[in-house]
Amino acid sequence: MFDLVSIVSLFASKAAPKTQVEFEYDGPSMKTEVPGPRSKELAKQLGEMQNVGAINFFCNYEESRGNYLVDVDGNRMLDVYTQISSIPIGYSHPSLMKVLSNPNNMSAFVNRPALGILPPENFPEKLAESLLSVSPSGMSRAQTMACGSCSNENAFKSMFIWYRNKERGHNNPSEEDIRSCMINQSPGCPNLSILSFMGGFHGRTMGCLATTHSKAIHKLDVPSFDWPIAPFPKLKYPLEEFTRENAQEEARCLEEVEDLIVQWRQKGRPVAGIIIEPIQAEGGDNHASPDFFRKLRNIAHKHGCAFHVDEVQTGCGATGKFWAHEHWGMEDPADIVSFSKKMLTGGFYHKDEFQADKPYRIFNTWMGDPSKNLLLAEVLNVIRRENLLEEVSRSGKALLQGLYQLQAQYPNLLSSARGVGTFCAVDIRDEATRNSILIKARDKGVLLGGCGDRSIRFRPALVFKEYHVHIFLNVFNDVLAEYN
Amino acid sequence: MFDLVSIVSLFASKAAPKTQVEFEYDGPSMKTEVPGPRSKELAKQLGEMQNVGAINFFCNYEESRGNYLVDVDGNRMLDVYTQISSIPIGYSHPSLMKVLSNPNNMSAFVNRPALGILPPENFPEKLAESLLSVSPSGMSRAQTMACGSCSNENAFKSMFIWYRNKERGHNNPSEEDIRSCMINQSPGCPNLSILSFMGGFHGRTMGCLATTHSKAIHKLDVPSFDWPIAPFPKLKYPLEEFTRENAQEEARCLEEVEDLIVQWRQKGRPVAGIIIEPIQAEGGDNHASPDFFRKLRNIAHKHGCAFHVDEVQTGCGATGKFWAHEHWGMEDPADIVSFSKKMLTGGFYHKDEFQADKPYRIFNTWMGDPSKNLLLAEVLNVIRRENLLEEVSRSGKALLQGLYQLQAQYPNLLSSARGVGTFCAVDIRDEATRNSILIKARDKGVLLGGCGDRSIRFRPALVFKEYHVHIFLNVFNDVLAEYN
């Protein structure tokens, strides 16, 4: 049995910074079961118009603040999942509310342009002060898109265009290219492939979905491409205790990658690009070492494949660095980095040579939304002003330490606590227990999300401080105690 | 030579409704060539961050009102293209500005939820009063998405899921289905296809792109699916003068559709669904008769294929009916109707049986954006309050009559004037002349867009009144006179 007193004192909250406290709530406050009666009523209404099978509950976003999500039954929960990791600086942040109430910004929300042909006057400036101010190393170009899937789809297209022009040695398609592409046939629509990893998640449109391999329900019944799928390393945690075994496992996967590249070239479907997440998120928070990524980057170089790092979930600070790939310590980490979620707009950065050679190749009506760039610019200001990356590192350490401690307390229940920054996860003994823990934690006022088969992923906003970690750990401890 | 006096008197403007005049500008006003010096400077700046090959000029959206787009050099243009047909009720509409300045709405813009799991309290209500209030016949369910491509991609997935469950006779996938789908192989990722039409445009992500066949530049170098492509009728205009020939051409195309369905079934890639635009827009404003669509709908029924009508460009009133397919006069026009652009949010309506049988199959993080639903609800209020569909029919008649008259005046320059509502087009003798006319019209203060090889498409907002038609026709007449 665990020692309640020592746990409580360990997780005791330090005094919270004043500004945060004034704006935020003190802690969770639960009035009903979740979903409560009002949520159930609304789900019934919505069920007449949509599939509501995935709905958790309905929210009162007007009352939600900072790290606290308030539902329509008046329940207030500490949000450690943040809309599938897509709320960067908490709910109703005063700085974002100011962007909205500034009359100078109204036009950006009302007059949505076709950005690719008629951008607003402040677009270059906003792009420079938002996206380009956090460009990954080696990249000074960015294309916005409406969502994560569109970002990856267009990144794939950029890689295919780049690869074909490289094959041609010039960028003048032949008559046969032009004729055949109109009827979906090669050489105009070439038999090229993207190499992805088992367990990866890169979106759900048909191109993206061909590189997504986390859960069958995402892929079932949808036609796909015959593209190579490499094993992602299955490492043992904590990583520093299993360095030799883990290095062997990573070497095995890298070897397989090279084999697949050769095989697919031989069967006439060359690998134009490799796509990978710095941490496989939806697939179960699977980590690999910086060494693995550096070697994979080299393999891509060696075989003439583009290297696309998907930071849709890992990007925007959650690992304590702005981009998770910064932990690899490389000057040339990738050819393409895609983003969405906490960045508020989708899109991708790319090296100069991945810019399409002609207009209208990477194009659509909206190509993003300048109103999201306005909000993103302010999010980045807040991150800098409030030193949120340092906060994330600090909170992340407290979170991981707490998970280690609970794992030691409940060895039959928890295992493989892992993470970088607050981008943490822990495995639960089985799927049913995981799901039941998620519900019990919610009933006690902490909102968590699952990933993989039996993991819990922690995805708080960047304003999740050490004292929020303590609130979470105390509730989590209470929940776990019920299983002992 | 044409008679200037008669043209001018014919296109003379009637007194404009007062409210519109007070808000809007009197007419175009040009200060510089377009793009002007400020636009060129900004293009240079943006060129450091993005491909700017498709940029026309930079806009001052704050100063843009109603049908007038103002650029950064102070030029004011009558906008007959409206951001590729995506501005429903003109720029800076006072009713939309009110939505923005209402403090009760701020949260919807700042706290973007993961709609599929944690919708806001007012979501069912807003959905009912916006999207569901304009449901196509036979459909009471709608799924929002972020853009047109995502809408079509998810509609395709819904059709594939529906088709496979129909084939199975139940919705329990086999072990082999589950295992094979994870590695992109059949039967889990089945060899099903979507039948599309040559000249069609349905988006640019990889699934959509396999059904898009308007221009090679959209498709070149991107891998695709071996899916059937039917000819779209090439009709002669005005339709009522060539009824017999056109009916024969339509019959030929319908026969080909049936042949393709049989062929693709035989080669093991059955057609799960047919996708078509009510008027092929990007592909050149190609029309077909209501009879053609009714027969095509029947063919889909007969062969067990889903019927997906893509109203991304034709929807939201531009044809004088809310949906273009209403012109077919059918109670059961489609299984799926997708939308985006003027609807401000992407998404698709579907019949009950096309709702995915399980949660998380049609899903992504954002699944649309409730702030867009708020704006859409107000757009629909304005359309009703100001009887804009009637206005569109009236303006559309004036526009088409004017085009007929100019076509008679300039038979060597113009041909095939056609349209429904203000969704009109005219062919120009060749591509170079078309492109030069677009530029000359812009220099005189009228912004137009091309489509197909040598057409001009007219895509004004729904607030484009008869007197705007007259302003346009006078400028167009001046431009055409330069070519005689």
Side-chain angles (χ1 to χ4, degrees), chain A residues 145-368:
Chain A
M145 287 285 158
C147 71
S149 283
C150 281
S151 306
N152 284 340
E153 290 274 344
N154 280 283
F156 291 0
K157 287 167 65 175
S158 298
M159 296 193 286
F160 289 131
I161 291 169
W162 165 83
Y163 193 91
R164 282 291 286 143
N165 279 335
K166 199 163 53 102
E167 274 189 335
R168 284 187 190 102
H170 56 77
N171 65 2
N172 299 312
S174 68
E175 280 302 310
E176 198 193 352
D177 285 338
I178 288 170
R179 189 197 51 74
S180 59
C181 81
M182 290 297 281
I183 52 169
N184 297 11
Q185 303 297 314
S186 77
C189 293
N191 290 322
L192 295 176
S193 62
I194 303 282
L195 183 143
S196 56
F197 288 83
M198 190 52 70
F201 182 93
H202 303 289
R204 294 159 169 273
T205 49
M206 291 182 72
C208 294
L209 198 54
T211 63
T212 286
H213 317 279
S214 53
K215 292 180 189 129
I217 196 73
H218 303 155
K219 294 176 66 74
L220 186 70
D221 297 343
V222 184
S224 196
F225 292 104
D226 181 22
W227 290 355
I229 307 156
F232 190 87
K234 289 188 193 305
L235 303 189
K236 293 193 177 160
Y237 304 93
L239 297 177
E240 54 276 19
E241 282 181 27
F242 299 94
T243 43
R244 217 184 56 185
E245 283 164 85
N246 286 344
Q248 278 171 0
E249 166 65 359
E250 290 186 341
R252 179 188 75 86
C253 294
L254 291 169
E255 205 173 305
E256 184 83 11
V257 168
E258 286 212 70
D259 284 353
L260 287 169
I261 292 173
V262 172
Q263 274 175 45
W264 253 255
R265 192 188 301 140
Q266 280 165 356
K267 71 186 215 176
R269 296 182 179 275
V271 174
I274 297 174
I275 185 168
I276 195 162
E277 297 155 277
I279 301 166
Q280 283 192 335
E282 167 73 17
D285 271 40
N286 307 314
H287 291 248
S289 71
D291 183 63
F292 172 81
F293 288 102
R294 286 191 291 259
K295 285 177 174 156
L296 185 64
R297 176 43 166 155
N298 286 341
I299 288 172
H301 261 313
K302 175 180 159 191
H303 291 276
C305 314
F307 191 59
H308 173 175
V309 177
D310 179 341
E311 293 247 22
V312 167
Q313 189 154 167
T314 51
C316 200
T319 66
K321 295 194 185 283
F322 197 87
W323 301 109
H325 69 251
E326 293 172 46
H327 293 280
W328 309 342
M330 297 174 74
E331 270 178 35
D332 181 26
D335 295 308
I336 286 185
V337 172
S338 57
F339 53 84
S340 190
K341 289 190 182 267
K342 278 199 285 293
M343 295 293 280
L344 304 182
T345 173
F348 59 104
Y349 298 95
H350 57 84
K351 296 177 78 172
D352 290 2
E353 65 201 281
F354 286 82
Q355 176 164 295
D357 55 304
K358 297 181 186 75
Y360 295 108
R361 302 194 74 172
I362 300 298
F363 190 85
N364 59 48
T365 296
W366 285 323
M367 299 188 89

Side-chain angles (χ1 to χ4, degrees), chain B residues 24-80:
Chain B
E24 230 186 36
Y25 297 103
D26 288 338
S29 161
M30 302 304 286
K31 308 261 192 251
T32 72
E33 56 170 9
V34 177
R38 177 73 178 136
S39 267
K40 284 181 184 160
E41 185 189 315
L42 289 166
K44 214 174 141 191
Q45 285 176 30
L46 187 58
E48 300 293 316
M49 308 176 238
Q50 295 195 331
N51 185 328
V52 291
I55 301 276
N56 290 3
F57 52 84
F58 284 76
C59 302
N60 182 338
Y61 287 105
E62 289 74 16
E63 293 296 319
S64 301
R65 291 189 217 152
N67 292 283
Y68 291 93
L69 178 63
V70 177
D71 79 2
V72 292
D73 290 283
N75 300 298
R76 188 165 78 216
M77 288 159 262
L78 180 69
D79 192 352
V80 197

Side-chain angles (χ1 to χ4, degrees), chain B residues 163-206:
Chain B
Y163 192 91
R164 280 292 286 144
N165 280 336
K166 199 163 52 104
E167 274 188 335
R168 284 186 190 101
H170 56 77
N171 65 2
N172 300 313
S174 67
E175 280 302 310
E176 198 194 353
D177 284 338
I178 288 170
R179 188 196 51 72
S180 59
C181 82
M182 290 298 280
I183 51 169
N184 298 10
Q185 302 298 315
S186 77
C189 293
N191 291 321
L192 295 175
S193 61
I194 303 283
L195 183 144
S196 56
F197 288 84
M198 191 51 71
F201 183 93
H202 303 289
R204 294 160 170 272
T205 49
M206 290 183 73

Side-chain angles (χ1 to χ4, degrees), chain B residues 217-453:
Chain B
I217 196 71
H218 303 154
K219 293 176 68 75
L220 186 70
D221 297 342
V222 184
S224 195
F225 291 104
D226 181 21
W227 289 355
I229 307 156
F232 190 86
K234 288 188 194 305
L235 303 189
K236 292 191 178 161
Y237 304 93
L239 298 176
E240 54 277 19
E241 282 181 28
F242 299 93
T243 44
R244 217 183 56 185
E245 282 164 85
N246 286 344
Q248 278 171 359
E249 167 66 357
E250 291 186 341
R252 178 187 76 86
C253 294
L254 290 169
E255 205 173 305
E256 183 84 10
V257 167
E258 286 212 68
D259 284 353
L260 287 168
I261 293 172
V262 172
Q263 274 176 44
W264 253 255
R265 192 188 301 139
Q266 280 165 355
K267 70 186 217 179
R269 296 183 180 274
V271 174
I274 297 174
I275 185 168
I276 195 163
E277 297 155 277
I279 301 166
Q280 284 192 335
E282 168 72 16
D285 271 40
N286 307 314
H287 291 249
S289 72
D291 183 63
F292 172 81
F293 288 102
R294 287 192 290 259
K295 285 178 175 157
L296 184 64
R297 176 43 165 156
N298 286 341
I299 289 172
H301 262 314
K302 176 179 160 194
H303 291 276
C305 314
F307 191 59
H308 173 175
V309 177
D310 178 341
E311 293 247 21
V312 167
Q313 190 154 166
T314 51
C316 200
T319 66
K321 294 194 186 282
F322 197 87
W323 301 110
H325 69 250
E326 292 172 47
H327 293 282
W328 310 341
M330 296 174 74
E331 270 178 37
D332 181 25
D335 295 308
I336 286 184
V337 172
S338 57
F339 54 84
S340 190
K341 289 189 182 267
K342 277 199 284 293
M343 296 292 280
L344 304 182
T345 173
F348 60 103
Y349 298 95
H350 58 84
K351 296 178 77 171
D352 290 3
E353 65 201 279
F354 285 82
Q355 178 163 294
D357 55 301
K358 297 181 187 74
Y360 296 108
R361 302 195 73 173
I362 301 297
F363 190 86
N364 59 49
T365 297
W366 286 321
M367 298 188 90
D369 185 340
S371 72
K372 306 297 182 192
N373 296 20
L374 274 184
L375 291 169
L376 173 62
E378 189 54 29
V379 163
L380 298 177
N381 286 341
V382 170
I383 289 176
R384 290 175 190 121
R385 201 165 59 222
E386 302 185 4
N387 289 314
L388 291 184
L389 297 190
E390 283 173 37
E391 291 280 356
V392 165
S393 296
R394 196 166 22 241
S395 305
K397 265 181 205 139
L399 177 57
L400 195 56
Q401 280 310 313
L403 292 172
Y404 283 151
Q405 194 178 338
L406 290 172
Q407 181 172 285
Q409 291 282 354
Y410 304 96
N412 298 327
L413 209 48
L414 303 187
S415 62
S416 298
R418 56 200 182 273
V420 188
T422 55
F423 201 102
C424 292
V426 66
D427 287 352
I428 310 298
R429 68 178 168 217
D430 56 53
E431 186 174 357
T433 309
R434 189 266 312 268
N435 294 346
S436 120
I437 287 175
L438 293 178
I439 288 169
K440 280 183 201 281
R442 191 171 73 182
D443 284 338
K444 290 185 195 292
V446 169
L447 194 59
L448 297 169
C451 66
D453 296 331

